[in-house]
Amino acid sequence: KEADGSVEKYMKALNVRPNEPNKRIKNLSGANQQKVLIARWLATHPDLLILDEPTNHLDVDAKDELKRALNEYRGAVLLICHEPDFYQDVVNAVWDCSKWTTKIL
């Protein structure tokens, strides 16, 4: 799906500084790289999100904005996160994989 033109709106909500959008993503801080990627997917409205530790590098305000966006999201989400304070109000099922093991044959 194409973005609805609101990437800038989400970047502002995630507190990406005004001069940051004009930089190459690889030249941004880890926090702002994460925020730009989150703003991009929020604006494209995908049917499925697979998020691996999306709160890494995010400040409290950005985490709150991400939580708000995920609660409004109408698609499916597979979220890998080690922060119960973040995900407990966002998900409807939790798989605890801490006892899973991997055997190499």
Side-chain angles (χ1 to χ4, degrees):
K1 296 179 185 179
E2 296 212 10
D4 63 9
S6 58
V7 174
E8 292 82 10
K9 175 182 90 170
Y10 289 112
M11 288 176 65
K12 183 177 180 183
L14 292 166
N15 297 319
V16 177
R17 290 173 288 193
N19 63 335
E20 297 293 301
N22 298 322
K23 291 184 179 180
R24 292 180 157 285
I25 290 179
K26 69 179 184 177
N27 295 332
L28 298 174
S29 68
N32 279 331
Q33 286 180 20
Q34 187 80 346
K35 291 175 184 181
V36 168
L37 294 173
I38 290 169
R40 184 175 171 196
W41 67 252
L42 286 172
T44 59
H45 309 291
D47 295 324
L48 170 66
L49 296 175
I50 301 174
L51 304 174
D52 184 10
E53 298 293 345
T55 57
N56 283 356
H57 307 292
L58 296 184
D59 58 28
V60 173
D61 292 335
K63 286 180 184 182
D64 288 344
E65 178 62 20
L66 176 57
K67 186 184 284 191
R68 184 201 59 75
L70 288 173
N71 281 321
E72 290 179 3
Y73 179 69
R74 296 296 165 233
V77 178
L78 175 60
L79 174 66
I80 299 167
C81 184
H82 295 91
E83 294 183 51
D85 289 340
F86 175 78
Y87 69 74
Q88 65 189 2
D89 298 327
V90 176
V91 301
N92 58 15
V94 175
W95 295 346
D96 181 358
C97 304
S98 63
K99 294 184 173 99
W100 293 8
T101 61
T102 302
K103 291 184 181 180
I104 300 175
L105 302 175

